[in-house]
Amino acid sequence: MKTLRQSGFNAADIVSDGNKFLTGNGWLGYRGTLDEYGAKECVALNIAGVYDGVKGKWRETVNAFNPFFAVVYSGKTPLDARGENVCSHEISLEISNGTFSRKTVFSVDGAKVTLCAERFVNAARKNGLCSRITLTSDKDLTLVIKVGVDTDIWDLNGPHFKEVHTSQCGNVIEASGVTQELGYSIRTVCGYSLPPENFCNGFGTVEANLKKGKPFVLDRVAEVLCGGENYSGISYDAARAEHLKEWKRLWKLSRIEISDDERAQFALDYSIYHLLILAPKGEYSIAARGLSGQTYKGAVFWDTEIFMLPFFLHSLPECAKNLVRYRINTLPEARKKAKYYGYGGAFYAWESQDGFDACSDFNVQDVFTHRPVRTYFKDKQIHISADVAYAVLSYYEHTGDDGLMLGGGLETVLECAEFARTYSYYNHIKGRYELLDVIGPDEYHERVNNNAFTNYMFREITVRGIKLAEKLQKKYPTETEEVLKKLPDGIISKLKEWANKLYLPQPDGMGIIEQFDGYFKAEDVNVEEVRSRLKHPNEYWGGSGGVATATRVIKQADVIMLFNLFPELFSKEIQKANYDFYLPYTEHGSSLSHCAYALTACRIGNAEGAYKAFLDSAEIDLRGGGKQWAGEIYIGGTHPAASGGAWMTAVYGFGYKRKEN
Ligand code: BGC
């Protein structure tokens, strides 16, 4: 498998390299940064599903203290990749086994010193990560390495720790803190193969007496520990061995080989790598920006259910189960949210932090006025509940896991349907139920009526949910009765009647399904025209005053995404007509968009369009792509939904085509 390599140093790439060279193990993510970097360079050791909020700021995932700070000194001169004494510099990521390496050659007092460092987040051990520094010189030389656990960490809405303490005991340095909001005690503990001296504030020094040509090695074995967890003290070599073994297993289960196309092969390997480093190690889920930082508050969106889950279902079903369980476990919060807005059933969090909706009423900040912009994602993007139900049903289709369905799965699906039923409005004149005042996947058009994606999604999950209930009723009458008893009386018959009368927008004379009522009346301009109207590069295109709001320009695949979830409901001709119609209006302002077009392109036989969109999805983090700003809000990081989308395109898209032939 090819290694990702990058030679030379460019300060402008520090942040995107942090994403591109990310390592992780599903619980911890370590950005692809250098040991000599600090908070300013966005070093982050991000923890999945551990949240903290600081008063007046958004709640987000916590970054742990950084165990791998190190600067090598020759006298007072640091050996730093940004310095003038650099002869060569290279960083690499071994995607076959999740190892990040750097090799920098410095010119030091007439000697050539090579600094190598490798780092991995232990795939076999939830809280472990290791690093090995190797120094070699072509002359005898004494250097000093400043090492330590850095407590000055990068935060978007921090600082998250109070009561910060550092200490040293023998070869081990530790930094501990307590989170501001929920009082979690989190420690970063790091053991060194040589004891650091001159300890002060988390840092110490190790002297490196280099003998010409002989490598000097310093190992660091770190762990991020919560509450009373203990440091394991495992050796570097033992940790490395278990890590490599686990990566072998992961790739064995998930690798897809593509013949005669190195670029596509690497792009797909890289996408799968990004999914593997996010595979949850427990009943928690995956954030929209994975473990690359605190962007989007470390919250879980529909990205996981619709774009990432398929990969896990086919490759690592035990992780898929964790993802589904996460939603089942957060059903009580979803019920609370529905109730809060005056509805029945379950309305899932648009930005879920353990079920709590972290989505703010003002999720964007205007670049001109610096004022918060009222957005309605939390209140109106109701398709999230359909997405959750769709995921539970897909999980069942793939696994036949009756136990999970009786243990919360069925309840979740029916409650999601019930939410939409109670949200809907009965149009007496037209004799149909309608879903009014919603936001579809295209977030630039808020508060629209009868978004086709939303209506079809709810109809389908309802019909399939009822079938599931009936199947379980036959197989396990008593247990199913117990489940139904927890739900509103007569729920099945009410849902049946509702689903039969729910309005489903039909293709017009040209075969086009209108994205929402009145979409066709919006200004007919393409993406480039709308882009040319921007007065600021980071301007938000949607909301009440966005450049796209009154036009046909959409942020991301909407009707097209629907085809990917229910291809059998729409003929090839209809899919083609809509693909041709919507593509020129699609900005791809969300990383979720390219793969949606790629998948549909595969089904309609547009190989060229499919291939381009596949690469746009698979290479997004290799290219440092994706929007970095929504108004004044930073939205950079990795794009695991695009990685999942690339996987889907390969398997459901190109794979599907092959099957047809
Ligand atoms: C997209 C959403 C997506 C979110 C997180 C937004 O820009 O419009 O569909 O869930 O990003 O990736």
Side-chain angles (χ1 to χ4, degrees):
M1 202 176 290
K2 214 174 113 186
T3 305
L4 175 63
R5 285 183 199 287
Q6 191 168 290
S7 296
F9 176 79
N10 184 355
D13 293 338
I14 289 178
V15 175
S16 63
D17 286 350
N19 301 321
K20 192 169 165 182
F21 291 86
L22 180 76
T23 48
N25 70 353
W27 193 61
L28 294 173
Y30 199 107
R31 291 173 56 78
T33 48
L34 302 180
D35 288 1
E36 58 266 37
Y37 290 174
K40 269 211 317 268
E41 289 77 23
C42 306
V43 172
L45 173 51
N46 190 240
I47 315 177
V50 176
Y51 298 100
D52 176 73
V54 173
K55 212 165 175 224
K57 294 186 184 177
W58 286 349
R59 198 177 195 231
E60 61 193 7
T61 40
V62 168
N63 287 333
F65 299 131
N66 172 25
F68 294 152
F69 175 84
V71 183
V72 181
Y73 285 91
S74 161
K76 288 206 165 119
T77 312
L79 306 193
D80 187 311
R82 292 160 292 188
E84 280 168 9
N85 50 356
V86 174
C87 307
S88 66
H89 176 67
E90 183 188 88
I91 54 175
S92 61
L93 178 66
E94 206 67 68
I95 60 173
S96 62
N97 61 34
T99 306
F100 170 82
S101 303
R102 66 91 61 89
K103 181 177 178 188
T104 315
V105 180
F106 297 90
S107 156
V108 180
D109 298 333
K112 286 262 175 307
V113 175
T114 304
L115 163 61
C116 292
E118 69 170 25
R119 180 171 74 218
F120 61 91
V121 183
N122 194 338
R125 194 174 285 260
K126 185 177 164 189
N127 41 19
L129 59 164
C130 299
S131 159
R132 169 170 282 174
I133 295 175
T134 309
L135 287 166
T136 36
S137 167
D138 62 359
K139 288 196 178 137
D140 289 2
L141 195 68
T142 298
L143 301 172
V144 170
I145 316 174
K146 180 177 175 188
V147 290
V149 181
D150 193 356
T151 56
D152 177 20
I153 47 178
W154 177 45
D155 275 323
L156 293 179
N157 292 287
H160 291 290
F161 287 107
K162 55 185 181 185
E163 297 166 35
V164 177
H165 293 293
T166 59
S167 60
Q168 180 177 11
C169 180
N171 284 24
V172 177
I173 291 182
E174 160 169 348
S176 64
V178 174
T179 60
Q180 309 264 9
E181 185 192 11
L182 297 172
Y184 293 129
S185 143
I186 299 175
R187 297 181 291 147
T188 299
V189 183
C190 186
Y192 298 81
S193 55
L194 295 165
E197 286 164 6
N198 309 310
F199 180 76
C200 179
N201 287 335
F203 300 105
T205 56
V206 173
E207 202 174 80
N209 283 311
L210 302 190
K211 295 281 167 243
K212 184 182 165 185
K214 204 165 168 249
F216 171 92
V217 177
L218 178 68
D219 288 341
R220 295 175 287 179
V221 177
E223 279 168 21
V224 175
L225 303 169
C226 292
E229 287 176 327
N230 290 322
Y231 182 61
S232 73
I234 188 174
S235 72
Y236 183 92
D237 290 335
R240 180 90 187 135
E242 63 181 17
H243 171 76
L244 293 179
K245 191 170 164 213
E246 176 61 5
W247 267 102
K248 223 176 181 175
R249 184 185 80 90
L250 293 173
W251 276 116
K252 199 169 169 213
L253 293 168
S254 58
R255 180 106 201 274
I256 295 171
E257 284 179 17
I258 300 176
S259 46
D260 304 327
D261 189 335
E262 266 183 46
R263 180 175 175 186
Q265 176 73 68
F266 184 64
L268 185 58
D269 284 342
Y270 184 72
S271 298
I272 294 177
Y273 166 82
H274 271 283
L275 295 163
L276 291 175
I277 63 171
L278 298 177
K281 287 194 162 13
E283 288 177 17
Y284 57 90
S285 193
I286 302 174
R289 289 288 181 265
L291 288 162
S292 62
Q294 296 156 319
T295 304
Y296 281 137
K297 309 162 191 123
V300 179
F301 291 62
W302 71 311
D303 303 33
T304 314
E305 280 69 28
I306 300 298
F307 296 83
M308 297 180 227
L309 183 74
F311 164 78
F312 290 105
L313 277 175
H314 289 270
S315 312
L316 301 168
E318 74 278 13
C319 294
K321 188 167 188 171
N322 282 333
L323 297 173
V324 171
R325 269 198 189 280
Y326 170 81
R327 292 301 193 175
I328 293 175
N329 295 343
T330 53
L331 179 61
E333 289 295 322
R335 282 189 169 123
K336 256 194 244 161
K337 181 175 166 186
K339 198 165 170 205
Y340 171 82
Y341 284 104
Y343 305 110
F347 184 6
Y348 273 87
W350 178 244
E351 299 184 9
S352 175
Q353 294 178 340
D354 292 333
F356 163 79
D357 203 332
C359 188
S360 145
D361 288 346
F362 299 86
N363 230 27
V364 172
Q365 185 128 349
D366 183 60
V367 286
F368 304 111
T369 61
H370 311 295
R371 287 193 193 119
V373 178
R374 179 67 165 107
T375 49
Y376 290 87
F377 313 141
K378 175 166 87 180
D379 328 44
K380 303 292 174 190
Q381 211 156 159
I382 64 166
H383 69 81
I384 180 65
S385 284
D387 307 328
V388 167
Y390 182 90
V392 176
L393 291 163
S394 311
Y395 172 81
Y396 184 64
E397 269 166 34
H398 284 82
T399 61
D401 185 345
D402 291 337
L404 194 63
M405 292 307 109
L406 291 168
L410 176 64
E411 202 178 331
T412 300
V413 174
L414 295 179
E415 282 289 70
C416 288
E418 174 65 0
F419 160 65
R421 191 184 73 81
T422 58
Y423 191 96
S424 69
Y425 151 89
Y426 188 70
N427 184 328
H428 286 274
I429 296 170
K430 296 186 171 156
R432 66 194 192 191
Y433 288 100
E434 301 188 349
L435 290 167
L436 307 182
D437 198 7
V438 304
I439 304 180
D442 158 33
E443 292 181 340
Y444 289 164
H445 296 90
E446 299 193 8
R447 312 197 68 168
V448 300
N449 295 338
N450 293 316
N451 166 253
F453 178 91
T454 307
N455 288 24
Y456 275 93
M457 274 296 267
F458 275 115
R459 208 286 293 265
E460 285 308 303
I461 64 104
T462 305
V463 170
R464 290 166 197 218
I466 293 169
K467 272 196 198 138
L468 171 66
E470 289 171 348
K471 184 170 170 193
L472 292 172
Q473 254 163 346
K474 270 196 204 128
K475 259 173 116 175
Y476 313 94
T478 324
E479 291 86 341
T480 310
E481 228 16 71
E482 286 304 311
V483 174
L484 294 177
K485 261 198 227 150
K486 293 193 233 166
L487 301 171
D489 279 351
I491 185 167
I492 300 282
S493 55
K494 282 184 194 154
L495 286 175
K496 261 188 193 162
E497 186 262 351
W498 179 74
N500 276 334
K501 289 195 185 146
L502 176 62
Y503 167 52
L504 300 176
Q506 295 302 311
D508 69 2
M510 307 293 284
I512 313 301
I513 297 176
E514 193 173 29
Q515 187 176 296
F516 54 82
D517 292 353
Y519 170 84
F520 290 151
K521 292 197 201 105
E523 190 192 359
D524 184 3
V525 278
N526 66 19
V527 176
E528 286 327 306
E529 168 59 25
V530 166
R531 199 188 303 281
S532 73
R533 297 176 184 175
L534 291 173
K535 299 258 183 292
H536 187 291
N538 298 343
E539 205 176 311
Y540 182 59
W541 290 37
S544 54
V547 280
T549 306
T551 75
R552 287 186 180 182
V553 167
I554 60 176
K555 182 177 182 183
Q556 63 203 87
D558 196 303
V559 171
I560 301 302
M561 193 57 211
L562 174 65
F563 298 155
N564 299 326
L565 301 180
F566 305 108
E568 69 286 357
L569 295 185
F570 306 92
S571 72
K572 202 164 158 179
E573 290 67 39
I574 294 292
Q575 296 190 45
K576 183 175 177 336
N578 283 275
Y579 176 95
D580 293 340
F581 177 82
Y582 281 108
L583 188 58
Y585 297 123
T586 309
E587 188 223 351
H588 302 299
S590 160
S591 59
L592 278 49
S593 194
H594 293 293
C595 69
Y597 280 89
L599 279 157
T600 299
C602 285
R603 282 192 307 276
I604 61 175
N606 179 348
E608 211 179 305
Y611 186 68
K612 184 189 173 303
F614 163 75
L615 290 176
D616 287 341
S617 199
E619 292 182 345
I620 187 165
D621 292 324
L622 283 170
R623 300 178 193 170
K627 281 196 178 180
Q628 304 296 306
W629 300 94
E632 293 189 326
I633 306 293
Y634 175 67
I635 55 166
T638 55
H639 301 83
S643 307
W647 182 93
M648 282 197 284
T649 308
V651 176
Y652 299 161
F654 297 123
Y656 170 87
K657 185 103 194 348
R658 262 207 301 276
K659 221 163 61 184
E660 249 190 354
N661 290 339

